[in-house]
Amino acid sequence: MGIFELRRITSFTLVTVFCGITLPAFAFGDDDRKGEPAAAPAGTKKVEAPAPLTARERWLLDRVEQLEKRVADLESRGGTTAASAVDASAVPAAPANAGTSVVAAGTPSIAPGVTAANSGLSSSDRAAAVEPQAAEKGKSGAPQAGKEEPFSFADFTWLNGNSRTKDTPYATSFFTPEIRADVDYNYSFNHPKDDTIGGSSEVFRHGEVQLTQLGVGGDFHYDNVRARLMTQFGLYSQTTPRNDASPARGQWQLDNAYRYISEAYGGYHFNALHGINVDAGIFLSYIGLFSYYQFDNWAYQPSYVSSNTPWFFNGVRVQIFPTAHLKIEPWFINGWQAYGRFNGRPGLGMQILWRPNGWLEVIGNEYGIGEEALGVPGRVRYHSDDSIEIKYLDHNESFLSKAAFSLTGDIGCEHGGGVSCDTNSTHVIAGQKVIWPKQSFLGFMFYNRFWFNHDRFGLTLGGGKINNPGRYLVLLPPINGATAASGTPYFTENPGDPFKAWDSSGTFDYMPSQYITFRWEFDHRAANVPYFSGPGGVTPTNCPTAPIVENICGSPGAFVPGFTPDLKKIENRINLSILVKF
């Protein structure tokens, strides 16, 4: 609303005041003229004193005077908008008996901290793109004037690994809440008698309804200061820490300290370029494309390239947005999915994320330098994880409303400490020739996603393959309670041990609301060596040498005389799940 329009309103208000003062004196009664003053005798000139102003009339006049002052002030300063012309604090309140309700008509109701979620940032990256964090000037994490918010130029909720929710209920300028629930039922056609499923970082029990994860938390943001917390209750609180061997070095039980937290960090947003964020704590890994949270993914069971690579990092990240289409993010972290360090050297990494338009995403994740083999100093790991996602069809009015695919390729290796990166190599140690076997990782995964009936239904077909000699990224089966730190003689992870695996899946989703997904999935998985839980299971039923405590005979992963775990080369599974995210 400009100054000219504001003058019109002021004039209209003056006319209203005038009418309110004068019209009552000339109001007509009914046909018998009841209530009307007696007519003055002909030829008599009557002079009446003005009636005193009522409380309502005085309030209206005061308001007009205030509006006129605001208009004059804006004219002197060259102001052009009415948004700053009317300051509620400058207008006197109406008297209690005035009988008037003042409403700012046409003013939208805006929660200052709410931003569209369709920028498509993953959960670990949320608020990373520079969210508006307060309504007050100078107390916002938003880009500087004239700077476009990163990745806000298109709807990226179609991406694999990104949440599809477009808004957050009950968000405020200080806190954006988040609640997640992942409940599933898994049926393995191998029918393990102990109901234990191995070889997955997402599926753990057979023939049971289980809570995989319950997360409660959200994002805090004010005055450019940021923090995020997400809890980790359910099976994830036990199964995720067991894949980290770093707590076995030193004291203080790091796995217990962190097991109920999936994300927890604090940081600061700098108003430079299109935004720079500096965060420290535990944040989710990007390696492997899929999100740690199943709600965000196209499938429940991702292929090995994702399932076997890190789900979290503990350290410091710096998110730099040179443009609205590009993010560069270096990491300084304790190690590869590690609460602590495995040896004497931390790890370094980086993500480069590029979205040139609304239908293409290119991601590169690089990791190196860290010594990730527990108790083997000098064995250094390198890894490159690269993905492309393309939306090749988008017709929301059609029955087939959208279609997209993702392709991910990983390559990596370890060298030193008895292994070589590219090939078997010969080394002379203490006058003896020693062969250091090849220790590497090579894999890919491909998924194609279809959306139907205005995105209410989804169908995903995909799979992948890996080759990991040395097995340093293979998830250890939980034989007799084995963990990444304990190892097990029943499935070795020695340098050069061969491991090749492949999988395929079909996933059908029903999404009646943006906040819930009903999922049905079939998974076929295979390996070149016995790996998956068979009918006999992986839990000892008798213990000749020690009492069974918590279904473990002796120490976790220990050899049990007379016991042989039942491992198979093939596993077929059905997954039924309900996934919720607010």
Side-chain angles (χ1 to χ4, degrees):
M1 186 185 297
I3 298 300
F4 177 72
E5 292 178 340
L6 192 57
R7 285 175 171 171
R8 292 176 58 188
I9 292 176
T10 304
S11 301
F12 178 78
T13 305
L14 289 170
V15 171
T16 302
V17 172
F18 173 79
C19 292
I21 295 174
T22 58
L23 287 180
F26 298 94
F28 292 97
D30 50 15
D31 291 341
D32 61 4
R33 318 289 282 188
K34 281 193 292 186
E36 183 182 341
T44 303
K45 186 176 181 181
K46 183 177 180 180
V47 179
E48 296 181 351
L53 296 178
T54 66
R56 181 173 186 272
E57 292 164 354
R58 285 196 301 271
W59 176 79
L60 288 172
L61 285 174
D62 289 339
R63 178 165 181 172
V64 169
E65 291 177 2
Q66 293 291 342
L67 289 173
E68 287 178 334
K69 289 179 181 179
R70 298 290 293 172
V71 170
D73 181 60
L74 283 174
E75 286 180 335
S76 65
R77 293 184 301 173
T80 58
T81 65
S84 60
V86 181
D87 186 349
S89 62
V91 180
N97 61 351
T100 303
S101 175
V102 181
V103 178
T107 303
S109 175
I110 302 175
V114 178
T115 57
N118 64 2
S119 62
L121 293 170
S122 64
S123 298
S124 57
D125 207 16
R126 185 164 306 100
V130 207
E131 291 181 350
Q133 296 172 356
E136 214 177 321
K137 184 179 179 182
K139 299 210 171 188
S140 170
Q144 301 176 53
K147 297 292 183 68
E148 182 182 2
E149 181 180 341
F151 309 135
S152 64
F153 56 87
D155 183 350
F156 290 102
T157 55
W158 60 271
L159 289 167
N160 188 14
N162 278 12
S163 172
R164 61 183 175 83
T165 54
K166 297 178 184 292
D167 56 70
T168 303
Y170 311 118
T172 71
S173 60
F174 173 70
F175 180 60
T176 303
E178 186 171 326
I179 300 174
R180 291 178 178 268
D182 176 351
V183 183
D184 70 337
Y185 173 88
N186 299 286
Y187 184 86
S188 170
F189 288 91
N190 287 348
H191 306 108
K193 66 179 184 180
D194 60 351
D195 293 342
T196 302
I197 294 176
S200 171
S201 55
E202 299 79 20
V203 175
F204 314 104
R205 302 286 296 184
H206 154 73
E208 302 170 352
V209 177
Q210 292 289 348
L211 175 67
T212 299
Q213 192 243 355
L214 175 65
V216 179
D219 296 290
F220 301 84
H221 33 69
Y222 186 74
D223 197 21
N224 285 33
V225 179
R226 304 150 36 85
R228 177 168 172 81
L229 169 67
M230 183 57 58
T231 63
Q232 180 172 266
F233 296 107
L235 284 174
Y236 271 170
S237 67
Q238 301 295 317
T239 56
T240 299
R242 63 86 61 181
N243 290 326
D244 175 15
S246 69
R249 180 174 183 255
Q251 305 298 318
W252 307 123
Q253 296 180 309
L254 296 179
D255 53 344
N256 289 336
Y258 292 119
R259 69 172 60 252
Y260 299 111
I261 298 173
S262 62
E263 299 175 78
Y265 58 79
Y268 190 79
H269 170 79
F270 294 89
N271 293 318
L273 302 175
H274 282 254
I276 298 176
N277 300 319
V278 179
D279 301 315
I282 298 178
F283 46 89
L284 297 186
S285 161
Y286 313 102
I287 294 178
L289 188 64
F290 277 66
S291 168
Y292 183 63
Y293 307 121
Q294 309 306 327
F295 180 92
D296 303 344
N297 299 327
W298 293 354
Y300 197 94
Q301 172 66 68
S303 189
Y304 304 99
V305 163
S306 181
S307 190
N308 291 33
T309 50
W311 290 114
F312 68 87
F313 288 144
N314 197 339
V316 179
R317 70 180 183 187
V318 180
Q319 298 176 318
I320 305 168
F321 298 88
T323 74
H325 300 254
L326 178 66
K327 181 185 73 167
I328 301 173
E329 180 178 319
W331 316 321
F332 175 83
I333 54 183
N334 290 341
W336 179 275
Q337 184 163 299
Y339 296 129
R341 291 187 304 173
F342 291 98
N343 295 287
R345 182 191 295 180
L348 298 176
M350 174 179 287
Q351 181 189 73
I352 298 177
L353 171 62
W354 181 50
R355 294 174 183 166
N357 49 54
W359 55 266
L360 172 64
E361 176 179 83
V362 180
I363 312 172
N365 297 292
E366 320 304 328
Y367 177 83
I369 304 302
E371 299 176 342
E372 311 303 334
L374 182 65
V376 186
R379 184 177 295 179
V380 181
R381 180 174 300 174
Y382 301 94
H383 197 92
S384 178
D385 165 81
D386 305 287
S387 299
I388 183 172
E389 297 190 70
I390 294 177
K391 180 175 63 173
Y392 59 89
L393 186 148
D394 194 349
H395 298 296
N396 197 48
E397 69 282 358
S398 303
F399 176 69
L400 177 59
S401 51
K402 278 203 286 283
F405 73 82
S406 68
L407 175 63
T408 301
D410 280 40
I411 185 171
C413 68
E414 293 185 332
H415 75 82
V419 299
S420 294
C421 239
D422 53 353
T423 185
N424 295 344
S425 60
T426 303
H427 297 260
V428 178
I429 300 177
Q432 300 291 325
K433 289 186 178 181
V434 179
I435 302 296
W436 286 12
K438 180 180 179 179
Q439 188 109 320
S440 64
F441 185 94
L442 183 65
F444 75 91
M445 61 182 182
F446 175 84
Y447 289 89
N448 198 97
R449 173 79 165 182
F450 303 97
W451 289 263
F452 302 93
N453 190 21
H454 304 286
D455 300 345
R456 290 172 63 87
F457 302 95
L459 175 65
T460 304
L461 303 174
K465 186 176 182 180
I466 64 166
N467 181 17
N468 187 202
R471 303 179 182 177
Y472 65 91
L473 289 187
V474 177
L475 298 171
L476 187 73
I479 303 169
N480 191 30
T483 68
S486 72
T488 175
Y490 298 103
F491 188 85
T492 60
E493 296 174 304
N494 299 319
D497 281 354
F499 187 85
K500 298 179 181 180
W502 54 95
D503 70 327
S504 60
S505 65
T507 307
F508 178 76
D509 290 339
Y510 171 50
M511 301 165 286
S513 164
Q514 64 175 303
Y515 306 113
I516 190 169
T517 298
F518 296 90
R519 176 163 291 174
W520 295 263
E521 181 171 291
F522 174 79
D523 296 290
H524 171 75
R525 314 184 85 208
N528 67 324
V529 295
Y531 180 61
F532 307 101
S533 297
V538 295
T539 303
T541 55
N542 56 66
C543 192
T545 59
I548 293 180
V549 179
E550 296 182 350
N551 293 325
I552 297 173
C553 181
S555 59
F559 175 78
V560 180
F563 166 71
T564 301
D566 188 6
L567 299 178
K568 301 298 181 183
K569 291 185 177 182
I570 292 177
E571 179 186 54
N572 293 311
R573 279 197 266 112
I574 292 176
N575 171 271
L576 308 175
S577 55
I578 297 178
L579 310 169
V580 172
K581 186 252 178 181
F582 290 104

